[in-house]
Amino acid sequence: MPEHILLRHRDIPEIADLDVYLKHDGFTAFEDVVKNQTPEQVIETVKTANLRGRGGAGFPAGVKWSFLTPGVFPRYVVANADESEPGTFKDREIMEGNPYQFLEGIAICSYAAQANTAYIYCRGEFWDLAHELEGKIEALTKRGLLGEGLFDTDYSLMIYVYLGAGAYICGEETALLSSMEGEIGHPRLRPPFPAAEGLFAKPTVINNVETLTNLPPIINQGADWYCSIGTEKSTGPKIFSLSGHVERPGNYELPFGTTFRELIFEHGGGIRDGKAIKGILPAGASAPLLPATDEVLDTPMDYESVPKVGSQLGSASIIVLDETVDIAWMAYKTTSFFKHESCGKCAPCREGTYWMYHILNRFQNGNAAPADIDLLNRVALGIQGKCFCALGEFSITPVVAGIEHFRSDFEALTGDGK
Amino acid sequence: MSEELVRLKIDDIDVRVPKGTKVVDAAKQAGIEIPVFCHHPKIESVGMCRMCLVEIGTPKRDRSTGENILDKSGQPQVEFWPKLETSCTTPVSEGMVVKVSSEKAIEGRKQILEFLLTSHPLDCPVCDKGGECSLQDLAMGHGSGESRFVLDDKKHLDKHVPLGDLIVLDRERCVQCARCIRFQEEVAGDPVLAFAERGRNMEIVTFSDPGFDSYFSGNTTDICPVGALTTVDFRFGARSWEMDATASICTHCPVGCNLMLNTRREASANGRQMIKRVMPRQNERVNEIWICDKGRFAHHFATSDERLTKPLVRIDGKLIETSWKKALERAAEGLKAAGEGVVGLASGRVSNEDLFSFHALLKSIGGRAILSDSQAGGALVQQVGVGQGTDIGGLGVRDAILVIASDLHEEAPIWWQRVMGATKRGTTLVVANARKTRLDDYAEHVVRYRYQEAALTGLGLLQAITGAKDLSKFSGDELLKSAAKALTEAENLVIFYGVEGLTYAESKSLSEACAAILVETKNIGRAQNGLIAVWPKSNTQGAWDMGLRPAEGDLENALADAKAAYIMAVDPVGDNPNLAEIFNGDRFLVVQELFMTPTAELADVVFPAQSFAEREGTFTSGERRVQRFYPAVKALGETKADWSIIASLAASLGIGLESSSAARVFLRITEEIEAYAEISYQSLAEFEEQWPPVGEEDLYYGGTTFKNRQGLGVQLAPAAEKDQSIKIQWSAPPEFKGKKGYLLVPVVELYDRGATVMPSENLHSRLASPVLRMSLKDAKSIGVMQGAQVELLLDGRTEELQAIAEEGVPEGVILLGRGLGVPIAEPEYVEVRLKA
Amino acid sequence: MLVDKYPKEIDRILAKFPPERKRAAALPLLYLAQREYGHVSKEAIREVAGILDVDPTQVGGLVGFYSLLHAKPGGKYRLQVCTDLPCALRGAEEFAEELCDNLRIKMGETTEDGLITVEEVKCLAGCDKAPMFQLQAPDGIHYFENQDLDSAMELIEELRQRGDDA
Ligand SMILES: Cc1cc2nc3c(=O)[nH]c(=O)nc-3n(C[C@H](O)[C@H](O)[C@H](O)COP(=O)(O)O)c2cc1C
Ligand code: SF4
Ligand code: FES
């Protein structure tokens, strides 16, 4: 794909400047929908384009918007910019490089949702970025592209930046809402879903940064054009965050359906230092580890194909492991992450991640016994299917798959258990 | 909850429950136990402990027709959800099938339990909760016996974290169920507990000042499913199975919370049986499963070493111990000599039996039986009090409550909590007071009047409701009218009236106005409607019912006119030092008391009475529920029950009063007092199963509150229930002449420094202080800096006190807590000046 | 007091939320408190709770939950190295160790002069530019990517100079 649809700053370096963005069709889509389309029409277009959520679950955005409880106002839109999944760094690049397209996406979504207030929930670490964004919002307000009575209609929109304070769980949409309401970031029961009772108990749309950034091109160029990119069920472009043992880590905007092999070996320049590839974590720490077999490498990266080889695409953060990586260590690292980030609300995740970590630590310290491998596996399966939210469920996936595919790595670290 | 019923199957048992019921509660109702930690039937469920996992299936539906798809045998096909679900968060639905005992469900729960146990210290042998712990019970019943985890990394956390002065947290034992946090937020209205940290470091914290600042904190120890929260009062006090349990009724306020007194013989008290702890006993109509901290912790007076244990007589100016015989003779002599000039004075702190006998004795000798308080309206409550079957906990969307001239949070905490709860269910609350009280936050209409205008405000409401011409001079502003409208529109209406800032005359006018409002809006004579007096004592309504009447604002003269006085369970001299003069003369004085009060010190004869814990009897609550209490500990020294002392004294005077048992006295009550005619000690002891189940085998579910097997009491029918044509005559409030100075208003604070509180040392750090609270403006004009010493000139006396400026205190008014050592019975005009 | 010192800023923060949902301003106000006092003490919690009209407990619980808020004082700067899996695959753990050795402290400790606390943190969304860290400074949080020992020490030196001036 020669031209970028999302990472347009790679083609037009100055696009983070409002004038430059406006010169390149900036805010024409928003103006068009506000002036000429009903919210229902916008939702219909997004449904037809089959824009799927890029935050991990792949849920169709247009369908989600249509769940908003009719007749209840005010409504809110929240852009999920919590981006904390290990190996994910795409939203950050969008917001740094092509912020206005993202903001225009929020605006379109807000119009479709008939929300007059939108918030961007930025992870707290994005402090500088958040302040930049506030500046951009101010610039838009000055230009009359945000604020009261937009484009001489009675539609108004304000966008505010909300800074989190360091908690991975706050990327989960209901925990995010708790956090925004001034509570600790514990996830909430669903139902009610945010579309019914979200922020401040009002109907709310929550979408990922990348999802929203897709909206201006969809409005400008149409659903059919959008559907021509990617695969039948996973339409459009996707940003793949490539990290780990590759020559050229970074974000790659490619159509859905690109294979792991193409991403890693063509775009990423292959494995660093001429080493062999051992495994792939296709969705950061949150999905099963895949052994780098030919079958896996030739799997198209889309929401349908990756599950077929036993994992998930998630937010498409591909962490590549070369032959030197000890999988017991990898499991130790991912588990350490989840243990640290478990919010503590539910018992299996809170206690389970801790105990997995404790056992994996024994492997690292050389005092694991052979029986610890099965114990670890059983603890993981004890967590499975019992947690309050997906975090706990995510936590076991690299571990269970790690043992399944690379048991010998664990065995090599066991002694007599002393 | 709607009445629409839903059918489902739980472990092959057919269950029908109201729509909206959670699966776990439906199972409980059907007698099927699903273990829970975080779920509590009185708190919104959160689904966080995951202990209640079950398999859930729902009938398959044909998408086009919406009909169930049937299998070959004609039964609906059931599709099971892929994961185990928390039964505490899943509402029932028609045709649902729940598997609690399937292998998958049992295995799932076992795993959860194992996770919880790996972090738990398993110190059951030394845990206060041992024997009444859900985790312990579940580990026995559901655990796999032996844990798979190597337990070399138990949590080692602080086992003694005082959350405040009353509650201690054991961090190791906490299972993070958040029951305490949610109770405080939802039920108590004091969100002073929270989680801090996250993951396995998550812990319960409080940042309130003082720590865990809530009048309801003790309840968290009942619903904590493990031994993580304990009370300072009971911690390490005894094992649950070593104690006896006796049903009782709280004596601290007119709510009449049902209690259980846990007692044990104590070596440290010379083998005396002592109260180890006070626990709530379930009565859903009264206190549900809660009690306030005063009820729980202020029990030490009952077994205090400071109690009077022997009769005393005055010889050569000194009170010396004597025998009952001599004391009774001496008392009889003195009273006889006074002829018909005997005045009896008693308070609603004692039982109906005591007050009935007291009244009977005074009647027989031609004396007068006076009720010590200056709140009016007990007779109106007899007429238009709340109807039989009233349950504040059942008030809902179409109902309204008026609270006037009372700070319920301080005066009757459980009523406060239940009224607040009603507002959460949609009940319209109108709060009228001269200052902001905590209930304002939950009120739809806040009516603010000036002190001395409470009765005017009541009449103003009445005017707005009736539009009656003769009331037109009381007509109020739009705010008052909209509040009146809310009262008129309510389907059910309950009015609570207090005496804050009121004299007897005002109280009379206010109570009449309130009663008249109820009559005019036809909210009388049926359940969920009527008048409740927020009395200063637990059995003041009983005192009215037994025939005692207040001195109508002129206690001083009533006593001055007396030739002899017989004073029971009240300390008039302590309340008003000016009365000392009356008793310093040769007026004969008999005092019947628990403690050596300032009044008792002036007595000719002092009779040592028994506390509520040593004897039996009945109290009549503000909602006019007659309830029994039982002897829990052996009587101290030579003390006797009040009714028994009265009977002995009567005998010495040659009068025959019932003397054999409290039960026989009660029988007399039912014979002589019409409202009590239909009840008996037996009927008061009747009970039925209540929801939610608590205690014993249900403690994992509802908590350690005691099941009520000793009687729910009987709510008396007000006269209006038989006679709907009741008319109430209102009277105009007294005129206040332009007096000078500041109006000193006594207000109630829960933790006062009275004789029934002081012996409980645990509460000392929480006691209210005798400070003068004044408006910012007045403080400025007097020149008072925060906490400055001032002199208060009151009724010829001078008191030296601290003063503070406080937002919300009306100008020209100074608030002072009652029972804090500065005697003041009614509002009075005072002078205040900065101490030189 | 924050209310006296930053009335405008507080108003600006509160204006973002519906008035009856003031509590939503908890995190921004805690950041303000932390900027002012260097950490969030109990008194600061009370101040924030006062502004929000809630019990201090409802604010206090947040401080321990969120990793960017600190209940206890640390170094003036918190240098937080990401050693999560993707960064670790690209040498972050070695980098962090070298850095600590060079500053003669252990992970989590503060340099003798009280200037720098080095901490390990989880993924910061800078995985392709490892080793990387963020600097939690009094004025905010800043990213430093593609780092090595020299560049990190250079930064620290600069901070030392700055600290002296201030
Ligand atoms: C533990 C956890 C962390 C998550 N973190 C993020 C995140 O950082 N960013 C994000 O957009 N979505 C995240 N999600 C997904 C959100 O819950 C939500 O599905 C998403 O924001 C919806 O937007 P989308 O439909 O546009 O993808 C996370 C989910 C879970 C369970
Ligand atoms: S799975 Fe449970 S403990 Fe883990 S993050 Fe979700 S709710 Fe919190
Ligand atoms: S999750 Fe249902 S009882 Fe705790």
Side-chain angles (χ1 to χ4, degrees):
Chain A
M1 217 164 30
E3 284 220 332
H4 290 85
I5 298 166
L6 306 170
L7 302 176
R8 282 173 82 199
H9 54 288
R10 300 229 178 146
D11 306 323
I12 312 160
E14 307 297 323
I15 204 161
D17 184 290
L18 182 53
D19 289 319
V20 179
Y21 181 66
L22 292 177
K23 229 177 266 161
H24 290 86
D25 301 331
F27 277 84
T28 52
F30 182 46
E31 181 167 359
D32 179 36
V33 297
V34 172
K35 278 180 156 161
N36 310 319
Q37 299 190 30
T38 63
E40 293 72 31
Q41 280 173 311
V42 181
I43 295 177
E44 214 34 57
T45 307
V46 175
K47 272 190 185 165
T48 315
N50 192 25
L51 170 63
R52 297 180 63 173
R54 305 296 203 250
F59 194 83
V63 177
K64 180 148 87 182
W65 303 354
S66 62
F67 291 155
L68 287 163
T69 311
V72 182
F73 297 95
R75 293 171 173 177
Y76 296 100
V77 166
V78 179
N80 189 340
D82 193 55
E83 189 161 62
S84 309
E85 180 66 41
T88 314
F89 41 85
K90 62 187 180 69
D91 298 339
R92 182 180 156 215
E93 182 172 345
I94 293 175
M95 293 188 288
E96 280 174 353
N98 191 10
Y100 286 112
Q101 185 171 328
F102 162 54
L103 291 169
E104 186 178 357
I106 296 179
I108 294 167
C109 175
S110 301
Y111 177 75
Q114 292 176 273
N116 303 108
T117 310
Y119 295 95
I120 303 169
Y121 186 96
C122 253
R123 64 178 295 181
E125 291 82 350
F126 291 170
W127 176 287
D128 284 332
L129 174 53
H131 287 83
E132 288 278 316
L133 279 176
E134 284 190 331
K136 311 272 178 215
I137 291 168
E138 208 176 306
L140 286 173
T141 314
K142 279 206 182 116
R143 272 313 156 95
L145 294 167
L146 287 179
E148 307 273 317
L150 296 169
F151 312 111
D152 300 320
T153 68
D154 55 12
Y155 183 67
S156 324
L157 177 64
M158 290 300 299
I159 302 179
Y160 299 108
V161 180
Y162 193 95
L163 205 53
Y168 167 69
I169 185 62
C170 293
E172 196 282 333
E173 57 184 18
T174 60
L176 184 152
L177 295 175
S178 302
S179 177
M180 278 203 67
E181 292 179 6
E183 298 173 14
I184 56 175
H186 277 182
R188 298 172 174 177
L189 279 176
R190 289 182 305 191
F193 285 89
E197 263 179 57
L199 187 64
F200 308 137
K202 296 294 180 203
T204 301
V205 169
I206 303 172
N207 273 123
N208 170 258
V209 172
E210 185 186 349
T211 314
L212 294 165
T213 308
N214 275 281
L215 292 170
I218 289 178
I219 297 298
N220 278 333
Q221 301 181 60
D224 291 344
W225 162 81
Y226 192 78
C227 288
S228 71
I229 305 163
T231 67
E232 191 200 331
K233 289 189 171 157
S234 302
T235 55
K238 176 79 191 92
I239 304 176
F240 297 92
S241 296
L242 181 63
S243 68
H245 288 145
V246 290
E247 279 293 342
R248 290 191 297 272
N251 286 317
Y252 294 93
E253 181 184 324
L254 301 164
F256 273 115
T258 307
T259 63
F260 285 110
R261 193 185 298 280
E262 184 187 329
L263 173 70
I264 297 168
F265 290 94
E266 284 178 29
H267 304 284
I271 305 304
R272 209 172 56 168
D273 302 336
K275 295 260 172 27
I277 182 170
K278 181 170 183 174
I280 299 169
L281 284 164
S286 294
L289 167 72
L290 292 171
T293 59
D294 282 336
E295 188 202 355
V296 165
L297 286 171
D298 290 324
T299 300
M301 296 184 289
D302 58 55
Y303 294 118
E304 287 69 42
S305 308
V306 181
K308 286 191 190 131
V309 291
S311 193
Q312 298 291 335
L313 187 60
S315 57
S317 34
I318 286 94
I319 306 174
V320 176
L321 310 173
D322 75 11
E323 57 187 330
T324 66
V325 175
D326 176 52
I327 299 304
W329 171 81
M330 177 221 71
Y332 167 77
K333 290 298 279 187
T334 60
T335 305
S336 152
F337 172 79
F338 288 114
K339 181 202 97 185
H340 187 260
E341 299 299 338
S342 169
C343 81
K345 179 163 186 160
C346 74
C349 171
R350 177 183 72 233
E351 307 293 336
T353 52
Y354 182 85
W355 283 98
M356 289 202 298
Y357 173 80
H358 183 68
I359 299 164
L360 283 159
N361 205 14
R362 291 213 282 263
F363 285 90
Q364 293 307 298
N365 297 335
N367 44 21
D372 280 340
I373 303 174
D374 288 333
L375 175 60
L376 176 62
N377 208 34
R378 287 212 309 265
V379 174
L381 296 177
I383 299 172
Q384 190 175 45
K386 300 182 193 66
C387 296
F388 187 93
C389 84
L391 187 150
E393 308 292 341
F394 292 162
S395 74
I396 66 161
T397 54
V399 178
V400 172
I403 297 175
E404 182 189 339
H405 299 299
F406 300 98
R407 195 178 175 96
S408 58
D409 281 17
F410 290 83
E411 284 166 348
L413 294 177
T414 59
D416 58 4
K418 295 268 156 61
Chain B
M1 231 172 261
S2 82
E3 282 314 295
E4 197 182 322
L5 290 181
V6 169
R7 271 172 313 177
L8 69 157
K9 240 187 182 39
I10 308 178
D11 272 359
D12 292 329
I13 296 178
D14 286 308
V15 185
R16 298 186 91 197
V17 289
K19 195 178 165 193
T21 306
K22 299 285 163 48
V23 169
V24 69
D25 299 326
K28 187 81 199 165
Q29 285 172 36
I32 300 163
E33 311 231 316
I34 303 175
V36 294
F37 284 113
C38 67
H39 176 69
H40 187 281
K42 294 243 178 217
I43 311 175
E44 278 295 314
S45 40
V46 282
M48 63 194 284
C49 76
R50 319 303 287 173
M51 192 62 224
C52 64
L53 294 172
V54 294
E55 280 191 81
I56 290 182
T58 39
K60 268 193 193 166
R61 289 232 158 80
D62 185 317
R63 280 182 192 247
S64 52
T65 64
E67 298 283 306
N68 287 348
I69 303 177
L70 305 181
D71 65 12
K72 281 197 209 104
S73 61
Q75 292 297 311
Q77 276 186 39
V78 173
E79 191 166 21
F80 278 85
W81 302 354
K83 293 207 283 181
L84 293 172
E85 298 290 334
T86 44
S87 52
C88 70
T89 60
T90 312
V92 294
S93 65
E94 188 63 32
M96 182 181 264
V97 177
V98 179
K99 292 187 194 168
V100 179
S101 313
S102 69
E103 205 175 305
K104 185 177 170 191
I106 291 174
E107 188 51 34
R109 293 197 300 268
K110 238 184 212 170
Q111 265 150 350
I112 298 294
L113 190 60
E114 198 165 30
F115 282 131
L116 288 169
L117 285 172
T118 51
S119 263
H120 196 80
L122 297 173
D123 56 348
C124 313
V126 296
C127 178
D128 279 344
K129 204 83 167 192
E132 47 184 43
C133 168
S134 325
L135 187 60
Q136 194 182 26
D137 291 353
L138 283 173
M140 310 266 213
H142 295 253
S144 43
E146 181 191 333
S147 180
R148 296 180 305 211
F149 302 137
V150 191
L151 302 172
D152 60 349
D153 191 50
K154 286 276 179 194
K155 274 192 211 173
H156 289 293
L157 298 173
D158 207 337
K159 294 186 72 67
H160 187 95
V161 183
L163 288 178
D165 313 297
L166 300 172
I167 308 293
V168 179
L169 166 69
D170 182 325
R171 287 213 164 121
E172 279 185 358
R173 290 185 194 149
C174 173
V175 290
Q176 280 90 5
C177 69
R179 273 186 179 186
C180 55
I181 296 177
R182 292 178 289 136
F183 167 84
Q184 283 303 130
E185 192 163 321
E186 293 172 30
V187 185
D190 296 318
V192 294
L193 295 183
F195 279 129
E197 305 296 326
R198 68 184 184 218
R200 205 167 177 257
N201 296 327
M202 198 165 78
E203 61 183 19
I204 307 290
V205 294
T206 179
F207 283 81
S208 66
D209 184 17
F212 203 164
D213 186 17
S214 172
Y215 287 162
F216 304 96
S217 69
N219 295 303
T220 60
T221 65
D222 295 332
I223 55 170
C224 175
V226 292
L229 294 176
T230 47
T231 71
V232 166
D233 198 44
F234 178 63
R235 205 171 142 82
F236 307 129
R239 313 312 309 272
S240 62
W241 56 86
E242 301 168 349
M243 296 182 290
D244 292 324
T246 307
S248 196
I249 301 295
C250 184
T251 58
H252 287 294
C253 89
V255 176
C257 290
N258 290 206
L259 305 179
M260 197 65 110
L261 305 183
N262 270 148
T263 57
R264 194 182 72 170
R265 281 188 195 291
E266 288 297 288
S268 63
N270 291 327
R272 239 173 89 202
Q273 202 169 12
M274 299 293 277
I275 298 173
K276 297 303 294 178
R277 62 174 180 179
V278 173
M279 295 287 285
R281 184 167 52 109
Q282 185 176 29
N283 192 336
E284 289 298 320
R285 292 273 164 87
V286 179
N287 53 306
E288 303 176 37
I289 58 176
W290 320 117
I291 52 173
C292 80
D293 286 356
K294 189 176 189 182
R296 190 181 298 260
F297 299 122
H299 64 81
H300 294 271
F301 76 92
T303 47
S304 161
D305 287 338
E306 305 284 304
R307 287 260 311 274
L308 295 167
T309 57
K310 285 202 164 134
L312 308 169
V313 288
R314 186 168 302 277
I315 296 176
D316 296 336
K318 274 210 197 93
L319 281 172
I320 48 173
E321 291 183 356
T322 183
S323 68
W324 271 106
K325 189 162 172 284
K326 285 194 178 140
L328 285 165
E329 273 169 18
R330 175 75 187 279
E333 260 168 47
L335 294 184
K336 242 183 223 154
E340 295 199 342
V342 179
V343 163
L345 180 68
S347 81
R349 202 191 74 209
V350 287
S351 79
N352 288 324
E353 291 75 3
D354 309 329
L355 292 159
F356 175 81
S357 299
F358 189 74
H359 183 254
L361 172 68
L362 282 143
K363 206 165 107 186
S364 311
I365 60 174
R368 176 178 176 199
I370 298 177
L371 178 57
S372 63
D373 317 298
S374 63
Q375 182 168 2
L380 293 171
V381 177
Q382 291 166 356
Q383 289 187 286
V384 299
V386 287
Q388 258 181 331
T390 292
D391 178 3
I392 311 287
L395 291 176
V397 181
R398 282 178 291 275
D399 309 328
I401 299 175
L402 166 66
V403 177
I404 185 163
S406 170
D407 181 356
L408 279 186
H409 188 246
E410 304 293 327
E411 296 172 29
I414 290 291
W415 278 345
W416 180 84
Q417 182 265 327
R418 300 193 89 206
V419 168
M420 175 198 72
T423 65
K424 289 188 175 173
R425 291 187 303 272
T427 301
T428 304
L429 174 65
V430 179
V431 174
N433 204 332
R435 63 180 172 112
K436 182 173 162 50
T437 61
R438 276 200 58 186
L439 212 42
D440 289 13
D441 293 346
Y442 302 91
E444 207 153 299
H445 303 267
V446 174
V447 176
R448 188 75 71 237
Y449 54 77
R450 282 203 295 270
Y451 280 108
Q452 299 178 331
E453 287 180 359
L456 279 177
T457 305
L459 290 165
L461 286 168
L462 182 63
Q463 191 279 331
I465 288 166
T466 62
K469 280 228 178 70
D470 54 350
L471 284 161
S472 58
K473 66 175 167 182
F474 303 115
S475 109
D477 60 8
E478 285 310 309
L479 258 169
L480 191 78
K481 284 183 184 143
S482 69
K485 185 152 177 276
L487 301 182
T488 319
E489 284 167 358
E491 202 162 280
N492 297 300
L493 173 62
V494 172
I495 300 182
F496 290 88
Y497 74 97
V499 271
E500 183 175 304
L502 274 62
T503 60
Y504 180 82
E506 277 181 279
S507 172
K508 179 165 179 291
S509 171
L510 173 64
S511 59
E512 288 160 356
C514 291
I517 289 172
L518 288 161
V519 170
E520 291 298 332
T521 56
K522 303 203 166 49
N523 292 105
I524 54 166
R526 55 198 164 96
Q528 308 299 69
N529 289 281
L531 187 63
I532 298 176
V534 188
W535 297 117
K537 292 283 181 314
S538 59
N539 197 36
T540 309
Q541 185 60 48
W544 280 82
D545 289 357
M546 296 306 116
L548 279 76
R549 291 293 178 270
E552 312 210 339
D554 203 8
L555 185 59
E556 219 168 312
N557 279 333
L559 291 171
D561 291 347
K563 295 212 174 64
Y566 181 16
I567 295 181
M568 170 170 77
V570 59
D571 177 21
V573 177
D575 294 340
N576 179 2
N578 294 344
L579 292 178
E581 263 172 53
I582 297 178
F583 297 120
N584 270 333
D586 50 10
R587 191 171 281 100
F588 189 70
L589 178 61
V590 180
V591 172
Q592 188 162 309
E593 252 302 344
L594 295 175
F595 295 96
M596 182 50 80
T597 60
T599 310
E601 274 169 15
L602 301 174
D604 296 288
V605 182
V606 178
F607 293 135
Q610 287 173 355
S611 76
F612 77 110
E614 299 160 57
R615 39 154 308 183
E616 71 175 325
T618 59
F619 292 130
T620 302
S621 77
E623 294 175 83
R624 254 179 134 225
R625 180 176 294 269
V626 185
Q627 308 188 101
R628 278 180 75 178
F629 60 94
Y630 299 82
V633 295
K634 223 178 120 245
L636 187 64
E638 295 177 20
T639 58
K640 290 187 182 186
D642 289 286
W643 59 264
S644 160
I645 302 173
I646 298 162
S648 305
L649 181 59
S652 307
L653 288 163
I655 299 161
L657 284 191
E658 191 53 70
S659 65
S660 56
S661 67
R664 295 296 290 265
V665 179
F666 194 77
L667 207 59
R668 294 298 308 275
I669 294 176
T670 61
E671 285 161 10
E672 290 191 20
I673 295 173
E674 203 197 324
Y676 290 64
E678 317 258 287
I679 57 177
S680 64
Y681 263 25
Q682 286 69 34
S683 69
L684 298 183
E686 277 165 20
F687 64 92
E688 58 197 33
E689 288 305 317
Q690 300 182 79
W691 182 264
V694 289
E696 295 164 35
E697 69 277 13
D698 296 311
L699 61 87
Y700 77 94
Y701 182 74
T704 53
T705 299
F706 277 84
K707 270 197 201 322
N708 195 329
R709 301 195 188 292
Q710 299 78 21
L712 297 168
V714 174
Q715 190 164 35
L716 301 175
E721 221 154 295
K722 287 163 203 137
D723 173 14
Q724 291 275 338
S725 67
I726 280 180
K727 283 267 170 299
I728 302 290
Q729 188 51 52
W730 57 269
S731 60
E735 302 271 334
F736 291 93
K737 289 171 211 97
K739 294 205 183 168
K740 279 222 297 268
Y742 290 94
L743 185 67
L744 181 68
V745 175
V747 294
V748 176
E749 302 201 51
L750 187 67
Y751 299 142
D752 59 38
R753 296 174 182 241
T756 54
V757 180
M758 287 313 278
S760 297
E761 285 174 19
N762 290 322
L763 287 174
H764 280 191
S765 61
R766 295 287 173 104
L767 297 181
S769 309
V771 290
L772 300 176
R773 290 144 62 193
M774 54 182 70
S775 73
L776 306 177
K777 197 172 159 206
D778 291 340
K780 214 168 159 194
S781 76
I782 303 173
V784 165
M785 305 282 281
Q786 219 54 338
Q789 287 292 123
V790 297
E791 284 177 339
L792 181 74
L793 275 65
L794 154 90
D795 222 3
R797 290 176 283 141
T798 306
E799 300 271 354
E800 220 175 87
L801 292 167
Q802 263 200 343
I804 56 167
E806 197 178 277
E807 227 161 312
V809 179
E811 276 168 37
V813 168
I814 295 177
L815 304 179
L816 175 61
R818 278 184 192 275
L820 299 181
V822 185
I824 167 169
E826 286 197 347
E828 279 177 54
Y829 281 92
V830 295
E831 255 179 76
V832 176
R833 59 172 180 244
L834 213 52
K835 192 168 174 271
Chain C
M1 293 285 278
L2 296 173
V3 268
D4 305 323
K5 204 160 164 190
Y6 303 101
K8 280 217 186 97
E9 186 149 1
I10 292 171
D11 283 347
R12 197 179 59 84
I13 291 171
L14 293 175
K16 291 183 178 185
F17 313 103
E20 73 281 7
R21 295 289 184 166
K22 254 191 185 175
R23 196 175 160 188
L27 288 184
L29 291 177
L30 284 169
Y31 273 124
L32 183 69
Q34 182 157 290
R35 191 177 83 198
E36 179 68 11
Y37 305 118
H39 68 286
V40 190
S41 65
K42 281 204 170 166
E43 292 72 60
I45 287 168
R46 271 178 219 297
E47 277 193 55
V48 171
I51 300 171
L52 299 176
D53 260 340
V54 296
D55 190 273
T57 309
Q58 289 167 296
V59 174
L62 304 178
V63 180
F65 185 87
Y66 293 102
S67 61
L68 292 173
L69 298 173
H70 307 286
K72 297 210 174 76
K76 181 171 178 191
Y77 298 92
R78 291 173 189 265
L79 194 158
Q80 299 167 325
V81 188
C82 173
T83 57
D84 212 343
L85 180 65
C87 278
L89 292 171
R90 302 185 75 80
E93 291 179 321
E94 293 77 13
F95 164 76
E97 210 177 305
E98 274 180 359
L99 183 64
C100 284
D101 286 351
N102 226 275
L103 294 170
R104 281 191 289 279
I105 53 172
K106 289 209 196 71
M107 184 55 73
E109 290 180 348
T110 305
T111 52
E112 237 172 45
D113 55 3
L115 191 75
I116 307 277
T117 305
V118 180
E119 294 168 328
E120 271 182 298
V121 294
K122 301 301 174 196
C123 184
L124 293 176
C127 327
D128 54 335
K129 302 187 186 71
M132 60 86 61
F133 57 79
Q134 69 182 357
L135 192 71
Q136 211 181 347
D139 70 333
I141 301 164
H142 317 294
Y143 273 36
F144 295 86
E145 300 180 305
N146 292 319
Q147 292 289 300
D148 55 23
L149 188 60
D150 290 343
S151 61
M153 290 309 293
E154 212 171 285
L155 171 72
I156 291 170
E157 200 41 52
E158 201 190 304
L159 296 175
R160 282 220 165 92
Q161 305 289 342
R162 227 193 274 171
D164 287 348
D165 299 343

